[in-house]
Amino acid sequence: MSVRIRLRTVPGRTAGLPAAAGRARAAAPAIRAVLPLVPVLILALALALALVLALGAPAHAQSGEAESGEAESGAVESGADLPALPALGAIGGGATGGGAAQSAPSAVQATAGADTPLTARGLLEPPAEAVLSSGIAGRIEALPRRAGERFDQGDLLARFDCALYEARLAAAEAGVLKARRQLANDRQLADLASIGRLEVGLAEAELARAEAQAGVTAVLVERCRLTAPFDGRVVEWRAEPHETVAEGAPILEVVATGPPEVALIVPSRWLPRLGVGQPFTFAVDETGTRHDGTLLRLGARIDPASQTVRVIGRLEGAGPDLVPGMSGTARFATQPGG
């Protein structure tokens, strides 16, 4: 069994398809030639629109200024007939008088601001500080003062094992005694004309050498005890008891007690009006207390980057509650820089 399918074409609907396809193929090259020009045309239209807007903005602004000028001229002309209104307002306490009264305090505040005392940040520093080092090579026997403890000038701060140096001193003193006896014997022999003056001179030189050697050893024995150079407090140990250290090794750091100094960083333009003895007040941040002070020294060099200089002052009547390292604000009674 076979099935046959018959297709019917509708006259008038399919007859024009080949012709349309031919026209499309003919127009394709022209379309491809025009497509690259489309972005250029869009950019040209955008530039033209921006130019129109730019040329129209000044004209609009000029027209607005002309309108505002006309409004202001109208206001002036309307107020020309009332010349006494400001005076009346001032007398009667009107709006005009109130505006004048409000402008006066601003001028007073500006004048007062020019005379406002100037301030500078500062840091408390001890009057003296030092890192005490070992004068000999040896073993540390004891460090009597711990960090934070106070001491007086001359107190023992470190003691070294001095057995070796004491033995050397004893030997040097024995050498001095021998040289003295030899010199005395040679002088007696010289008086008897048994020896010449040369032998006596050699004996005198030997005695001088022995005494010098004994003096050097005595200095080393004295360095077995490290004493405080001033009244102060121990900041920290740099070595521990029973350690063997070399000569010149740091042992402990100390600071002096007493009225602390304050280091201030001020603008360099203040220097022409700063002087030794100039008073100031210093408010300590940590304690909240205020102290009077005077300038002691002016810095010898200006920082070229920040245009500042370091000056040193001293606080009067400062108690033990002030510790080096505290910070605060110094206030000068007059404006140093003008």
Side-chain angles (χ1 to χ4, degrees):
M1 180 178 176
S2 60
V3 179
R4 294 182 177 181
I5 300 174
R6 297 180 64 185
L7 300 176
R8 294 178 60 186
T9 57
V10 180
R13 294 187 177 180
T14 58
L17 292 178
R23 288 192 298 271
R25 285 192 298 270
I31 295 174
R32 284 195 298 268
V34 173
L35 283 178
L37 300 178
V38 172
V40 178
L41 295 176
I42 295 175
L43 181 60
L45 291 175
L47 292 176
L49 181 60
L51 183 61
V52 171
L53 293 177
L55 294 177
H60 180 70
Q62 291 177 0
S63 63
E65 291 177 358
E67 292 176 0
S68 62
E70 292 176 359
E72 290 177 359
S73 62
V76 171
E77 292 176 359
S78 61
D81 297 333
L82 300 173
L85 282 180
L88 292 175
I91 296 173
T96 306
Q102 291 177 359
S103 62
S106 62
V108 174
Q109 292 174 359
T111 304
D115 297 334
T116 301
L118 295 187
T119 59
R121 294 292 295 174
L123 187 71
L124 292 184
E125 296 181 349
E129 56 183 332
V131 176
L132 303 182
S133 302
S134 170
I136 59 174
R139 181 177 61 86
I140 301 174
E141 284 190 345
L143 295 173
R145 295 291 192 277
R146 292 184 174 273
E149 293 183 352
R150 296 180 179 272
F151 55 82
D152 296 328
Q153 184 177 5
D155 287 351
L156 179 65
L157 298 181
R159 185 174 67 251
F160 295 85
D161 181 8
C162 205
L164 177 61
Y165 297 100
E166 289 175 349
R168 290 179 178 177
L169 178 59
E173 289 176 347
V176 172
L177 179 60
K178 176 184 176 180
R180 286 177 180 173
R181 291 182 177 179
Q182 183 66 44
L183 177 60
N185 183 67
D186 289 347
R187 285 175 176 173
Q188 290 178 358
L189 293 176
D191 292 340
L192 298 173
S194 298
I195 59 174
R197 301 302 303 175
L198 176 61
E199 285 76 5
V200 175
L202 292 176
E204 291 175 348
E206 181 62 23
L207 176 60
R209 188 196 65 80
E211 290 177 345
Q213 184 65 35
V216 171
T217 309
V219 171
L220 295 178
V221 172
E222 291 178 358
R223 292 182 178 181
C224 291
R225 294 170 53 88
L226 186 60
T227 58
F230 43 70
D231 299 343
R233 300 175 65 182
V234 176
V235 177
E236 63 175 347
W237 287 355
R238 298 291 184 90
E240 297 291 334
H242 311 297
E243 289 183 354
T244 299
V245 297
E247 181 180 356
I251 304 300
L252 70 168
E253 182 180 354
V254 296
V255 295
T257 55
E261 295 181 350
V262 55
L264 304 174
I265 304 299
V266 302
S268 57
R269 65 177 181 273
W270 290 14
L271 280 178
R273 296 191 180 181
L274 288 179
V276 175
Q278 185 167 352
F280 64 91
T281 59
F282 189 77
V284 183
D285 296 340
E286 288 79 1
T287 61
T289 57
R290 293 181 178 272
H291 304 271
D292 294 332
T294 55
L295 290 183
L296 293 179
R297 301 182 299 275
L298 303 181
R301 175 178 294 177
I302 296 174
D303 184 6
S306 61
Q307 291 297 301
T308 57
V309 64
R310 189 171 185 264
V311 298
I312 305 299
R314 173 170 293 176
L315 301 183
E316 306 296 338
D321 56 333
L322 297 185
V323 179
M326 290 183 174
S327 58
T329 304
R331 183 180 295 270
F332 290 86
T334 58
Q335 181 176 347

